[in-house]
Amino acid sequence: MIPTRVEETLPELVPFLHAVQARRPDDGTWCEAWTVRDVLVHQAANAEELGRVLKAFLAGTPVETRGFDREAPYHRLSATDLWSAFLRNCAELTDIAAAAARDLPPDTEVRWTGRTVTVPFFAEHMREELILHRWDLTGDDGTAVRALNEPWMTEHSVVSVGRPLLARGRAALSLAPAERVEARLRTPGTADVVLTADADTADIRLAAPKGPATIESDAATRLLLLWGRRPSDPSRWHSSAGAEELRRVRGLLGGY
């Protein structure tokens, strides 16, 4: 049973757990090369790291974010111990986030993956991870699409996560010094997501719609594209961009 305080802080936790329980640990997922167990390992390590960094900041002894090698100990756990560790880490993150909300102004800046984020980021980012990786397990079911369509998901991805979304794709494109990629991802009735990249930098921001869209889609599909996913139904997005332009934009959004 999930404690009420955890479910209130991470309302996407229970749907994620049900999606995991409905599949075998060695089943494949929409996240390329990851099994269901790999997704659960990733989430256990995410919850631990978000809590570890915020807790250290609260204690006055800030630490840097660890890389994905933090997942290694969880790969060695039994299925039962992995499940318990994930639930325990989510509960600890909930308690740490509550303490931070009580003791720190919400705009307090905390170091996370080489940049600063604010205090509410930590619980909110775990929520996003639960939504995104649940989609990796289920694909486009109603629960996934409704959650991905939430406006805060796009804002969190663009404003709170931002440039790290594009770092891997920009590096893989190997752009020449004079090359530049620009794109507008549009969902009617909302701000455009504007992407720019050159040989040295990449940027992502929200802006008022202007000119033609590079890719137009519903909000859920746009969110998946931002995170390097390929929606199961290709008719949910369309583009008037040329093949080469579209290839470069999709390359920039190559995964995170």
Side-chain angles (χ1 to χ4, degrees), residues 100-192:
R102 183 182 63 245
D103 297 342
L104 298 172
D107 59 352
T108 300
E109 294 187 341
V110 184
R111 291 277 296 175
W112 174 260
T113 62
R115 66 195 194 281
T116 59
V117 297
T118 58
V119 170
F121 168 89
F122 290 85
E124 188 174 274
H125 191 63
M126 191 64 209
R127 292 181 63 196
E128 179 168 60
E129 291 280 343
L130 291 168
I131 290 170
L132 184 66
H133 290 298
R134 184 188 178 282
W135 180 88
D136 288 330
L137 303 178
T138 66
D140 297 335
D141 71 355
T143 299
V145 172
R146 283 191 297 273
L148 291 165
N149 265 315
E150 288 288 336
W152 73 265
M153 283 285 287
T154 296
E155 183 173 356
H156 182 89
S157 297
V158 174
V159 177
S160 298
V161 179
R163 293 176 186 173
L165 277 173
L166 309 180
R168 184 181 300 176
R170 184 197 63 78
L173 283 176
S174 300
L175 297 170
E179 285 186 284
R180 183 175 174 83
V181 177
E182 298 184 13
R184 282 181 175 265
L185 310 186
R186 181 168 298 159
T187 293
T190 72
D192 284 354

Side-chain angles (χ1 to χ4, degrees), residues 37 77-86:
R37 178 180 168 84
L77 295 180
S78 68
T80 300
D81 288 345
L82 174 58
W83 187 261
S84 297
F86 172 58

Side-chain angles (χ1 to χ4, degrees), residues 22-144:
R23 286 150 185 84
R24 298 178 305 179
D26 59 350
D27 282 350
T29 72
W30 288 94
C31 190
E32 187 175 357
W34 277 15
T35 65
V36 172
R37 178 180 168 84
D38 292 330
V39 168
L40 188 58
V41 163
H42 179 67
Q43 296 287 56
N46 281 338
E48 179 195 12
E49 193 65 8
L50 288 161
R52 186 185 78 92
V53 170
L54 187 56
K55 183 178 181 179
F57 185 87
L58 267 173
T61 55
V63 295
E64 290 297 320
T65 316
R66 297 175 298 179
F68 289 122
D69 55 342
R70 65 188 185 239
E71 297 178 4
Y74 294 102
H75 281 290
R76 296 191 289 269
L77 295 180
S78 68
T80 300
D81 288 345
L82 174 58
W83 187 261
S84 297
F86 172 58
L87 295 177
R88 181 175 63 251
N89 292 352
C90 287
E92 290 178 357
L93 172 60
T94 294
D95 292 340
I96 295 164
R102 183 182 63 245
D103 297 342
L104 298 172
D107 59 352
T108 300
E109 294 187 341
V110 184
R111 291 277 296 175
W112 174 260
T113 62
R115 66 195 194 281
T116 59
V117 297
T118 58
V119 170
F121 168 89
F122 290 85
E124 188 174 274
H125 191 63
M126 191 64 209
R127 292 181 63 196
E128 179 168 60
E129 291 280 343
L130 291 168
I131 290 170
L132 184 66
H133 290 298
R134 184 188 178 282
W135 180 88
D136 288 330
L137 303 178
T138 66
D140 297 335
D141 71 355
T143 299

Side-chain angles (χ1 to χ4, degrees), residues 174-251:
S174 300
L175 297 170
E179 285 186 284
R180 183 175 174 83
V181 177
E182 298 184 13
R184 282 181 175 265
L185 310 186
R186 181 168 298 159
T187 293
T190 72
D192 284 354
V193 175
V194 180
L195 313 172
T196 57
D198 57 28
D200 301 312
T201 62
D203 191 43
I204 180 171
R205 60 189 174 88
L206 295 171
K210 180 180 178 181
T214 310
I215 297 175
E216 187 165 320
S217 71
D218 59 77
T221 297
R222 182 170 65 177
L223 197 286
L224 291 171
L225 293 173
L226 285 176
W227 285 90
R229 268 53 172 185
R230 282 160 170 70
S232 56
D233 181 359
S235 70
R236 287 175 57 194
W237 65 275
H238 61 273
S239 174
S240 58
E244 178 58 20
E245 179 184 0
L246 193 57
R247 182 195 68 79
R248 282 152 50 100
V249 171
R250 293 307 308 274

